[in-house]
Amino acid sequence: MQQKIITMTQLALYDKHKGTADQNANDYFRHDYIYRKNLATRLAVGFGGLIALVLYIGRDILIYGADVFELDFAGYMRDSIFFILAILALYSLIGTIQGTREYYLVQKRLTRYMALVRQLERINERAARATTSDAKEPQ
């Protein structure tokens, strides 16, 4: 009985803290899960790169007094595109590594969860057999 209570407590704690998030992550294949995690990062980094480009152009206009109509916007893009792509690739690599790690931790927790469920089933089967054998014994 004590082992059943311990197992049920472990299952309840998992369900309360990690269960829903792990089940949602498990609904995806590994590649899809990582892609979804990285999509927001890629969009944010691309948007941040564009903001940095606007600030770079704004610096020349506001601080150095450059004329807006005489600026070489193609030159600015050429200078900054490598920087934006390099940062995007770096963040994608970091996000892929982190997403892969998270996905494997989810799989590990779900494997442990299923082992606890099987353990609880075995405990319940033993209890049912004991109850059935006690009921069959003549008194």
Side-chain angles (χ1 to χ4, degrees):
M1 186 65 170
Q2 183 180 6
Q3 186 62 35
K4 182 177 181 176
I5 294 171
I6 291 170
T7 304
M8 289 176 69
T9 303
Q10 289 174 339
L11 288 170
L13 285 172
Y14 173 81
D15 284 338
K16 181 179 179 182
H17 295 289
K18 299 280 187 176
T20 305
D22 285 354
Q23 289 297 332
N24 289 340
N26 195 45
D27 288 343
Y28 297 101
F29 291 111
R30 182 177 57 92
H31 180 273
D32 295 336
Y33 176 77
I34 294 168
Y35 179 77
R36 285 181 49 96
K37 296 287 276 186
N38 276 341
L39 183 62
T41 302
R42 289 180 182 132
L43 290 174
V45 168
F47 185 69
L50 291 176
I51 289 174
L53 178 62
V54 168
L55 291 174
Y56 181 55
I57 294 171
R59 177 196 64 149
D60 285 349
I61 294 171
L62 297 174
I63 294 176
Y64 297 121
D67 187 16
V68 175
F69 298 107
E70 294 178 4
L71 289 176
D72 180 23
F73 289 105
Y76 284 113
M77 288 297 291
R78 206 174 27 251
D79 293 343
S80 62
I81 196 76
F82 176 75
F83 174 73
I84 293 172
L85 290 177
I87 295 296
L88 188 63
L90 178 66
Y91 273 91
S92 291
L93 177 67
I94 291 169
T96 300
I97 291 169
Q98 182 181 0
T100 302
R101 181 180 172 274
E102 287 176 12
Y103 189 79
Y104 282 121
L105 290 175
V106 164
Q107 295 303 312
K108 186 176 180 180
R109 285 192 300 265
L110 285 172
T111 301
R112 171 76 176 131
Y113 178 79
M114 293 310 296
L116 286 172
V117 168
R118 285 191 300 275
Q119 180 180 354
L120 184 61
E121 287 173 354
R122 286 192 302 270
I123 291 170
N124 287 335
E125 287 172 4
R126 282 194 302 258
R129 280 195 306 264
T131 304
T132 304
S133 65
D134 287 343
K136 289 182 182 178
E137 290 181 12
Q139 297 190 7

